[in-house]
Amino acid sequence: MSDYLCLPQIAEHVDCTDGYLSKLSLYKALALIAFAQKGKQPSPKLLENCIQELPKPQLGEPRDLSALRMQPAQEDALTVFQTLDKLLARDTVQVELIPEKKGLFLKHVEYQVTSQRYKISVYRRYSDFDVFHEVLLQRFAYRVVPALPPKRMLKGVLTSVSEREFIEGRRRALSRFINLVARHPFFSEDELVKTFLTFSGSDVQTKLRDTYKKTGDEFMTNRIATLAKEYLPADIQSQFSTSRELIRNIHNSFNKLRDRAEKMAERSKENATDLLMFGRELSTLGSDSSSLPTFASSQSTWGALRKSLKSLSVEFAVLSDKAAQQGRREEDDVVEKLNVFLDLLQSYRDLCERHEKGVLHEHQRALHKYGMMKRQMMSATVQPKEQASVEQLESRIVQQENAIQTMELRNYFSLFCLHQETQLIFIYLPITSHILGAFVNSQVQGHREMGEVWSELQPKLGCLFGGNNGLKPTL
């Protein structure tokens, strides 16, 4: 009888508490396996009736144990099992500007950061975000870490208007940054992120650095970091090149979409200004109380009509307000969603450059240094030197070999993470439907609201057009 087929029966007869076996239970299981290997039906009675020494199970050669290593399936370890909806549901973080109480020109700007997940609000300065970003990049050097917005504006462009726009733009960028981080499948469960979102002490920057010092970088804490090579497909480099080119094209297209969306939002704001000014000019025209010439007053209705023009500025002010709301919707719902994905795409691009210029470059330098040491050793062998200097060189070579081995492991882990982060980009791609939905909804709502105001305005113009002159009759 196959011992494999008997395993469920053996498990029934072995005491297992909370998923753990005691030493006695383990011995009991091994004995029952041995009986099964002899073709007997395993049961506790066999153990009770056994007079001779209990049989020993055949476990195979020790070299076969390598096939029994408990590790997740290769595709499971490498695959990121997430959906966009699950990522978005992880957390929503609000970043609101706290009005300045002191200083001028961006001094003492504070933000209230509120995490929906942790149900808490904390207060952060830009410098806190800066330190958090620095430590996050150290902890997750092989992951997509979004960039921070600049700390200050360029000199020479600081006006009251541009300052307000800069502060608001920076607030939006910080909000995008922290939401991408809080929703990342690996960042979101890390103590570092929780500390930034929940720590309410006086020195969050020191707390963040201490948190990182306790854990180290991801290579030191990830349980499969040193086994990453075993999980990578043989054609990983080819897959990476293909995906990178595709993501580069996607990045370019989304940049163009964002630029067009920004122009549409700007046109809506300009439309709001034009409608308001149009109404004001009508009011100015209607407020003119100058007397008409005698030859005109007897034949013209202008004197009566111009009084009606004065009141139209109210309707045009409402139209202006609706157009301004439309611009804000396009900016908040469409442009901002495009910017979120663009921030992620840019951080992926930065990650690819870090991989090529960082890990790979350091590995190549280490190999070059190792080669020089080996040549020095060969030279020392040909031309005998002092024993102490030779031993010192041997020690340095051993250290360099260990460093190269670690770098190779880090290189494979970097590729492993890069493959997962590539998947993350494609997980985020359905955000396109969110963006299109927001765009269509903003247009429908904007046109409906403005259409209602225009429809209300139309009957009020009847008195201005004798015989419907200039005014089409409504159907």
Side-chain angles (χ1 to χ4, degrees), residues 357-375:
K357 297 180 180 178
V359 179
L360 287 179
H361 184 62
E362 289 177 7
H363 188 208
Q364 290 168 357
R365 286 179 59 190
L367 288 173
H368 177 69
K369 185 176 179 180
Y370 178 71
M372 291 177 61
M373 289 180 177
K374 293 293 285 185
R375 286 192 292 272

Side-chain angles (χ1 to χ4, degrees), residues 145-179:
V145 178
L148 284 183
K151 183 176 182 179
R152 293 189 180 277
M153 285 188 297
L154 298 174
K155 293 181 179 180
V157 294
L158 196 62
T159 65
S160 59
V161 175
S162 61
E163 181 187 357
R164 287 195 300 269
E165 290 176 349
F166 174 79
I167 291 175
E168 172 58 17
R170 191 174 67 177
R171 183 198 66 79
R172 287 174 179 267
L174 291 174
S175 178
R176 296 195 301 270
F177 162 79
I178 194 60
N179 275 285

Side-chain angles (χ1 to χ4, degrees), residues 366-382 385 390 393-401 404:
L367 288 173
H368 177 69
K369 185 176 179 180
Y370 178 71
M372 291 177 61
M373 289 180 177
K374 293 293 285 185
R375 286 192 292 272
Q376 289 176 6
M377 176 59 73
M378 291 176 63
S379 175
T381 304
V382 175
K385 297 184 178 181
V390 172
L393 186 57
E394 288 178 343
S395 175
R396 288 172 55 201
I397 288 176
V398 171
Q399 291 177 0
Q400 190 66 11
E401 287 174 344
I404 289 173

Side-chain angles (χ1 to χ4, degrees), residues 3 6-14 28-30 32-34 36 42:
D3 53 317
C6 291
L7 285 177
Q9 300 174 39
I10 294 172
E12 292 178 5
H13 303 311
V14 176
K28 185 177 179 181
L30 291 173
L32 290 174
I33 290 172

Side-chain angles (χ1 to χ4, degrees), residues 180 186 280 410:
L180 282 172
F186 301 104
R280 287 180 179 174
R410 283 186 173 272

Side-chain angles (χ1 to χ4, degrees), residues 265-293:
E266 192 60 37
R267 281 200 298 270
S268 294
K269 295 177 184 178
E270 291 174 355
N271 189 32
T273 301
D274 291 339
L275 285 167
L276 185 64
M277 297 307 298
F278 192 91
R280 287 180 179 174
E281 289 302 324
L282 288 176
S283 178
T284 299
L285 191 61
S287 299
D288 187 359
S289 57
S290 303
S291 300
L292 293 174

